[in-house]
Amino acid sequence: MPVPAQLPPVAGIGLRAPHVARVVSERPPLGWLEVHSENYFVDGGPALAVLERLRADYPIALHGVGLSLGSADALDASHLARLRRLAARIEPAAISEHLSWGRIGGRHLNDLLPLPFTEEALALCCDRIDAVQSALGRPLLVENVSAYLRFGCDAMAEWEFVAAVIARAGCGLLFDVNNVYVNAINHGFDPQSYLAAMPGAAIAEIHLAGFDDRGPCLIDTHGARVAAPVWALYRAAIERFGPKPTLIEWDTDVPELEILADEAAIAQSILEQAHAVVA
Ligand SMILES: [Fe+2]
């Protein structure tokens, strides 16, 4: 399988609607941009034209939320075809999806729902990832998700499931450090165990985001600054795996662009310290 251009091992941000005009006009010094693939499932129009313009100045990652890799339903062929068309047009540096499900009986649920960590789910996910990679003609990155329940039928730990998917499917890993921390607190495991099980060479991207801690458990809202313990876990990940492309995700109560750039600058400083150690 040909290896396309990769994201650079620097910090980027998720490009959200309130910031598009400023990013287009000011071209701020961001390492790369990530967009939600489904927002560009169109054959033309201004949004796609803007993405094509930005693509000339920034590496672009396409991040999907609707492929439902872990669903018992068959893969949605039209969704995959649209992703393929978008990828051919944008030539992104990465294409990613979530290790979750969100469709059943032909109905699409607007959520990233958790999978049971079983051999059956593992085999299903690997088949789907194989089909997606064949259709796209390039590796897919799959992302570990936050979850608020566990299944009684789980046969392995979450980190064992994620590592097994990466090894068997031969795909890349989009390692969401905030999701690891949120799950560690909510389900009571040591996030360092998770880190230790991850295949560092397969990590092609890292996500960082903020959570809400005002309730009985942490909620992965993508609506706040990255929390101190997540920064600490990120630093540990970079020390273990080396510098990796790192994205600041912010999806609710989206703040001024300067706040996102500030968060990206913190990630960048951690990456540069790691670069210095590597050099
Ligand atoms: Fe994420």
Side-chain angles (χ1 to χ4, degrees):
M1 188 174 288
V3 178
Q6 307 267 306
L7 289 170
V10 297
I13 67 164
L15 181 65
R16 303 297 179 254
H19 302 144
V20 169
R22 277 191 64 192
V23 171
V24 168
S25 63
E26 298 174 18
R27 295 292 202 276
L30 301 161
W32 50 283
L33 300 171
E34 184 165 278
V35 297
H36 287 144
S37 310
E38 288 81 1
N39 290 344
Y40 298 89
F41 279 4
V42 287
D43 292 323
L48 194 55
V50 163
L51 188 59
E52 287 182 307
R53 282 172 60 195
L54 288 174
R55 190 214 164 284
D57 289 336
Y58 299 97
I60 300 288
L62 297 179
H63 187 46
V65 295
L67 205 44
S68 194
L69 288 173
S71 174
D73 277 7
L75 264 180
D76 183 339
S78 72
H79 190 107
L80 184 53
R82 283 184 287 182
L83 177 59
R84 194 171 133 174
R85 274 206 298 280
L86 179 63
R89 193 159 187 163
I90 299 299
E91 296 179 318
I95 303 177
S96 57
E97 250 297 346
H98 297 84
L99 203 47
S100 65
W101 68 280
R103 197 179 58 256
I104 191 71
R107 292 184 62 195
H108 189 83
L109 310 164
N110 197 19
D111 219 330
L112 302 168
L113 297 169
L115 292 163
F117 303 134
T118 61
E119 279 295 331
E120 186 181 18
L122 176 55
L124 184 143
C125 287
C126 290
D127 282 352
R128 298 286 165 72
I129 293 166
D130 187 53
V132 172
Q133 294 190 138
S134 296
L136 296 176
R138 59 183 287 167
L140 179 70
L141 312 185
V142 298
E143 177 179 356
N144 57 296
V145 298
S146 55
Y148 306 100
L149 60 81
R150 290 292 190 235
F151 294 89
C153 60
D154 283 352
M156 62 192 95
E158 179 186 340
W159 52 91
E160 293 171 322
F161 185 84
V162 171
V165 167
I166 304 304
R168 283 199 214 171
C171 58
L173 174 59
L174 195 178
F175 188 48
D176 191 310
V177 173
N178 183 60
N179 290 349
V180 170
Y181 183 76
V182 165
N183 286 357
I185 296 302
N186 290 347
H187 301 297
F189 61 78
D190 179 0
Q192 298 295 339
S193 303
Y194 206 126
L195 236 60
M198 291 300 99
I203 298 176
E205 181 179 337
I206 286 179
H207 274 181
L208 294 170
F211 55 74
D212 187 323
D213 65 355
R214 291 171 296 176
C217 66
L218 302 186
I219 302 292
D220 178 30
T221 55
H222 295 187
R225 283 184 179 266
V226 177
V230 175
W231 281 122
L233 192 58
Y234 171 66
R235 190 181 289 277
I238 295 301
E239 285 170 0
R240 176 182 283 270
F241 304 124
K244 298 286 185 182
T246 300
L247 185 90
I248 303 297
E249 284 190 296
W250 204 313
D251 292 296
T252 57
D253 299 327
V254 177
E256 290 297 310
L257 184 58
E258 283 75 10
I259 303 290
L260 287 186
D262 190 45
E263 292 284 89
I266 297 170
Q268 185 63 35
S269 73
I270 293 170
L271 288 166
E272 284 171 10
Q273 288 165 31
H275 275 299
V277 171
V278 169

